Amino acid sequence: MGVINASPDSKNVHTVARTVDEVLLMADRYRTWGASLIDLGGQSSHFDNPTIEVADEISRVVPAIEALAAEDHLVAIDTWKPAVARAALDAGAVLVNDTGGLKDPEMREVVASYGAAAIAVYVEGDNPHEVGAVEVRADKAAATAGFFTELLSDLDGAGVRNVILDPGIALNYRGDYGAYTRMQLEVIADSESLHELGRPVLIPIPRKRDFHRVAAYIALALEHRADIIRVHDVAIACDLARLFDRAAPGTV
């Protein structure tokens, strides 16, 4: 899953596309490299960035989704706002990547009414802009799996059944950056507890100042059987997936 940011506020400037043409160019490049999914967002999730109006977010993503869908790209809408998810699904998105964790009843209703697949992102807050310091603990993966066990039961009751699990380790939190960095690695290494829930597991690869660390996260996620890896550095991720014999069918 290759990330494209339709938000100019994103700190990952190499994934920012400011026009529909730029989005298409980036997506086509990702597909050539071997990516199967596009993760498109119009709202930066970093808590330092402004929370934009729903109408502005929709205007950033809908034309791009329509263009991507017309070229047979599979698109996930990266948002925690139900109205944005609804507009994106109407435009041709096939997956809702809810960085609010599918906790909002309105978001559940949107996903269920469209019969859409959804990614439940573990987030310690109502959404990525409403976070404090992350809880650092040695059994974080198991604790996250416990949270998801309860969440999946609630989602099933709400008619949301096609769910992918994301332990949320790429979200930004306030607090001890070094401790969080180490815990991110531990969650990937201990992700078997997430697989045991019987749902696809998406590992979001955190962006780091030192690129060799990004490559290490990708390799660790592949080693520990991630079903999907969400990346900002698509070429290197696809190459490593081939090295681990984990490339998507049809890629070389």
Side-chain angles (χ1 to χ4, degrees):
M1 174 183 272
V3 174
I4 298 178
N5 286 303
S7 166
D9 300 318
S10 174
K11 298 181 186 300
N12 298 303
V13 294
H14 69 293
T15 62
V16 171
R18 299 179 184 276
T19 67
V20 171
D21 285 344
E22 287 183 6
V23 168
L24 289 173
L25 182 63
M26 195 175 294
D28 289 344
R29 188 181 303 130
Y30 286 2
R31 181 156 57 188
T32 298
W33 288 334
S36 304
L37 294 166
I38 299 298
D39 189 57
L40 181 74
Q43 162 73 72
S44 171
S45 63
H46 198 291
F47 56 79
D48 279 342
N49 286 328
T51 305
I52 65 173
E53 295 294 330
V54 165
D56 292 334
E57 189 173 344
I58 289 173
S59 70
R60 288 177 177 180
V61 298
V62 162
I65 293 170
E66 291 173 341
L68 289 167
E71 292 196 1
D72 296 323
H73 287 284
L74 299 178
V75 183
I77 178 62
D78 188 319
T79 188
W80 65 81
K81 302 169 189 174
V84 177
R86 185 183 298 277
L89 291 168
D90 283 338
V94 299
L95 181 60
V96 176
N97 185 7
D98 182 8
T99 47
L102 288 175
K103 294 179 285 190
D104 185 335
E106 186 180 353
M107 181 67 89
R108 294 179 182 185
E109 190 278 328
V110 169
V111 173
S113 65
Y114 282 80
I119 300 169
V121 180
Y122 176 78
V123 54
E124 296 182 11
D126 290 337
N127 61 64
H129 285 188
E130 302 291 334
V131 296
V134 69
E135 181 188 24
V136 176
R137 51 190 290 180
D139 64 342
K140 191 68 171 187
T144 302
F147 169 84
F148 278 142
T149 299
E150 295 185 14
L151 178 68
L152 288 170
S153 178
D154 291 343
L155 293 175
D156 187 66
V160 180
R161 299 185 175 92
N162 192 358
V163 180
I164 297 164
L165 305 179
D166 175 344
I169 56 172
L171 295 177
N172 296 282
Y173 289 93
R174 299 170 173 87
D176 188 333
Y177 178 81
Y180 183 36
T181 293
R182 291 185 293 274
M183 191 180 74
Q184 289 167 324
L185 289 169
E186 292 165 0
V187 168
I188 299 173
D190 295 339
S191 58
E192 181 59 32
S193 58
L194 299 173
H195 286 283
E196 289 173 355
L197 298 179
R199 304 300 178 99
V201 174
L202 181 154
I203 296 297
I205 304 302
R207 283 287 296 161
K208 299 297 179 183
R209 290 184 291 268
D210 299 312
F211 182 72
H212 60 275
R213 293 193 173 194
V214 176
Y217 280 97
I218 295 169
L220 193 65
L222 292 167
E223 179 182 355
H224 288 276
R225 302 190 303 112
D227 296 293
I228 304 168
I229 54 173
R230 176 186 179 275
V231 297
H232 295 80
D233 303 285
V234 177
I236 186 68
C238 290
D239 185 60
L240 287 170
R242 287 187 287 271
L243 180 65
F244 278 77
D245 197 23
R246 295 293 311 282
T251 63
V252 295

